[in-house]
Amino acid sequence: MTACPHTVGAEQTVSFAHTMLYQQRIRQLPVLHGGQLAGLLSERDLTLIASLRDVDPNAIKVEEVMSLSIYKVSPDAPLDEVASEMAAKKFGAAIVVENNAVVGIFTTVDACAALAAVLKDAYA
């Protein structure tokens, strides 16, 4: 899990979010509205928007393109259950929430790192 993940405000522009993803070298951004989790914006969402004609990424707000389908988990959620759910529903990330605050994000990259660690230990 990545603790204290980067987030973006729902009122920010798509252009701002794209720059943030690029600079931070990440693929998902939890979207906050009033400090609460409101959605998830992915690199794929931004690529789709960028491909549309007559769309100005400086004029479109994140809330207009974010996904409302969010997989939220608690910090103590069992990793095997989280990974199974992500695989079954093809989620790219699980947003870790505690007391209505985003405290982490668990992505497919994190899942691969965890798998590599298990395999390394198993074959050591």
Side-chain angles (χ1 to χ4, degrees):
M1 171 183 93
T2 301
C4 303
H6 294 281
T7 61
V8 66
E11 71 287 347
Q12 294 292 335
T13 65
V14 167
S15 179
F16 176 85
H18 186 265
T19 299
M20 192 173 189
L21 283 173
Y22 178 76
Q23 288 177 343
Q24 301 303 323
R25 300 176 65 192
I26 56 178
R27 292 187 289 168
Q28 295 98 359
L29 278 170
V31 180
L32 304 180
H33 182 72
Q36 302 294 310
L37 183 61
L40 184 66
L41 187 66
S42 71
E43 182 178 47
R44 185 181 303 168
D45 297 329
L46 295 178
T47 300
L48 175 64
I49 293 302
S51 72
L52 300 174
R53 288 185 179 189
D54 300 324
V55 173
D56 181 3
N58 293 307
I60 297 176
K61 303 294 182 198
V62 167
E63 64 191 348
E64 297 176 58
V65 298
M66 69 184 185
S67 174
L68 299 175
S69 199
I70 310 165
Y71 178 42
K72 298 187 286 187
V73 298
S74 69
D76 59 348
L79 183 56
D80 64 321
E81 291 177 17
V82 173
S84 292
E85 186 73 6
M86 287 175 66
K89 303 240 174 106
K90 298 184 180 177
F91 290 129
I95 309 303
V96 184
V97 177
E98 185 172 44
N99 298 323
N100 293 325
V102 174
V103 296
I105 186 169
F106 182 78
T107 67
T108 54
V109 172
D110 297 317
C112 286
L115 175 61
V118 168
L119 292 173
K120 183 178 180 180
D121 289 345
Y123 295 107

